[in-house]
Amino acid sequence: MPDTSDFKERFYISADGLRLYARDYRPDAAATAGRLPVVCLPGLTRNTRDFHPLALLLSRDRTAPRRVIALDSRGRGNSAWDENKANYSLAVEATDVIAACAELGVERAIFIGTSRGGLILHLIAATRPDLLEAVILNDIGPAIEVQGLMQIRDYLNRDRKPVDWKEAADILKETHGASFAALGEQDWREMALALYRDSGGRPVADFDPAIAEALKSVDFSQPLPDLWAQFDRLSRLPLLLIRGANSPLLSKEIADEMARRHSGLILHIAEEQGHAPFLHLGAIPAAIQAFLADCR
């Protein structure tokens, strides 16, 4: 498990009183002077642990270190579960991000949004654009493929409970291995440690089951709502789009339309990865660092 000396654990209170969690990777203030922080938002059922390797890389960069903040959305990781399950919504979670920025003293930042985290950034672009200096979207856009979301619904709602950490890694490899040839055995073990928490020596999925349950009620016979109007609000910002080459959620056609609407969009294809790419593998870290080098 990560050494907690690498970051400071922070808790803050949402607008409706929920106790939420963040990791704050904060180098010496003098080393980061003049550089904005990076704020990381995880996917639907993921948490801050997904960003740990990247956060270490960026916060320890020898030439241009940055403060990195990673957030656990409500109902995930170390953030409290919400009794009102309707609050697991993009709109509510966007207000949580805004509350985190206020609590942690972030007036403006570069944001990384993986999957659902990227959808939240679309809403923030429309409601609090002053927070955004630049955006990195990890395998997400303003429209998503129905088949990809159905796949997520199906594997999240399978009733497979691993008895130990080896089986947890094996289940993940069995489920996602065809799309993630880039991952080695150690990567699958690290994925298990990121997705599950320890409960009496057994791995347990580290999110409120109601989040996965909600996908069962989606009517996939109807068109999914899109966020193109909100995406257009990102057109004034530097934007890096990372797309898994094997992604079922973000198609080439959607990525191409994003590039058409945003003339400055930088597209990076994560080879041998699906949804959502691991940001510390392959050429992705170099692409992120090159992008950040052009940001203040």
Side-chain angles (χ1 to χ4, degrees), residues 44-91:
L44 177 65
T45 59
R46 308 303 292 250
N47 56 67
T48 57
R49 298 194 292 276
D50 277 345
F51 295 105
H52 182 68
L54 180 69
L56 291 180
L57 179 69
L58 299 181
S59 62
R60 294 176 176 178
D61 187 285
R62 292 184 177 181
T63 58
R66 292 182 184 266
R67 180 187 183 191
V68 180
I69 298 166
L71 305 181
D72 277 348
S73 299
R74 59 177 62 208
R76 292 85 157 178
N78 289 326
S79 286
W81 291 13
D82 199 321
E83 292 184 3
N84 181 0
K85 307 309 179 184
N87 284 338
Y88 295 132
S89 70
L90 293 178

Side-chain angles (χ1 to χ4, degrees), residues 8 27 44 67 71 132 134 163 169 180 209 215 264:
K8 184 175 182 179
L44 177 65
R67 180 187 183 191
L71 305 181
L132 307 178
V163 297
F180 283 91
L215 287 177

Side-chain angles (χ1 to χ4, degrees), residues 12-20 41 71-76 79-101 116-117 119-124 127-128 131 211 227:
Y12 62 101
I13 303 302
S14 69
D16 57 353
L18 214 60
R19 189 170 188 254
L20 305 179
L41 311 181
L71 305 181
D72 277 348
S73 299
R74 59 177 62 208
R76 292 85 157 178
S79 286
W81 291 13
D82 199 321
E83 292 184 3
N84 181 0
K85 307 309 179 184
N87 284 338
Y88 295 132
S89 70
L90 293 178
V92 172
E93 290 166 24
T95 65
D96 292 342
V97 173
I98 294 168
C101 290
R116 185 179 181 88
L119 297 178
I120 291 170
L121 290 177
H122 282 69
L123 298 193
I124 291 176
T127 58
R128 281 294 307 275
L131 283 175
I211 296 168
L227 295 171

